[in-house]
Amino acid sequence: MSATVELTKENFDQTVTDNEFVLIDFWAEWCGPCKQFAPVYEKAAEDNPDLVFGKVDTEAQPELAQAFGIQSIPTLMIVRDQVAVFAQPGALPEAALTDVIGQARKLDMDQVRQQIAEQQAQQAQQAQQQGGQGA
């Protein structure tokens, strides 16, 4: 029995909404580095049973890959409280994956949400300023 969940466009939103911490491996059957990363990812899933480890087959779910702007695979994404806090292409070695999971666990999500709100406010202010210049 696999410790990972196959994510599709049908169950993706529900999985991310219902779980506080979701790791997502974007992969494809033909991808050599994806196949090398798979056992590392599977072991991490077994070592962290409190987290959800999802896999998105980019060939079967092109809409999901496109929605997240996946350019190369494998790409690992971590979503906490429905916020993508990590996204990086490439097959991570076991130690690096363990480190990334540890760092993501330590994030203060209130602080992350505050930073996002500040960035959005700055972007809105810049857009407003640029819109006023053309008049």
Side-chain angles (χ1 to χ4, degrees):
M1 159 101 184
S2 175
T4 60
V5 179
E6 184 67 33
L7 294 177
T8 65
K9 61 183 185 215
E10 287 76 25
N11 71 355
F12 187 91
D13 288 343
Q14 188 81 40
T15 301
V16 172
T17 303
D18 290 353
N19 297 282
E20 175 184 319
F21 198 122
V22 182
L23 292 93
I24 306 160
D25 174 22
F26 290 89
W27 69 284
E29 188 64 43
W30 51 262
C31 165
C34 297
K35 290 182 177 183
Q36 293 172 333
F37 182 58
V40 173
Y41 191 69
E42 197 73 35
K43 182 178 184 314
E46 291 166 9
D47 293 347
N48 296 277
D50 59 318
L51 306 181
V52 174
F53 282 73
K55 291 179 76 75
V56 173
D57 180 343
T58 57
E59 294 289 307
Q61 303 296 325
E63 300 92 345
L64 285 177
Q66 189 176 10
F68 288 97
I70 302 302
Q71 299 290 320
S72 61
I73 52 174
T75 289
L76 176 68
M77 184 176 288
I78 299 177
V79 178
R80 278 202 53 197
D81 299 341
Q82 301 172 45
V83 176
V85 296
F86 178 86
Q88 179 179 312
L92 294 176
E94 186 176 346
L97 179 56
T98 301
D99 183 50
V100 165
I101 292 169
Q103 288 181 44
R105 282 185 184 276
K106 291 178 194 156
L107 283 175
D108 179 340
M109 289 309 293
D110 289 334
Q111 190 176 14
V112 169
R113 278 188 285 275
Q114 183 179 347
Q115 288 172 342
I116 290 170
E118 288 169 5
Q119 287 174 346
Q120 288 173 337
Q122 280 181 336
Q123 288 170 346
Q125 191 175 20
Q126 287 172 348
Q128 203 171 25
Q129 288 171 349
Q130 289 172 347
Q133 292 174 351

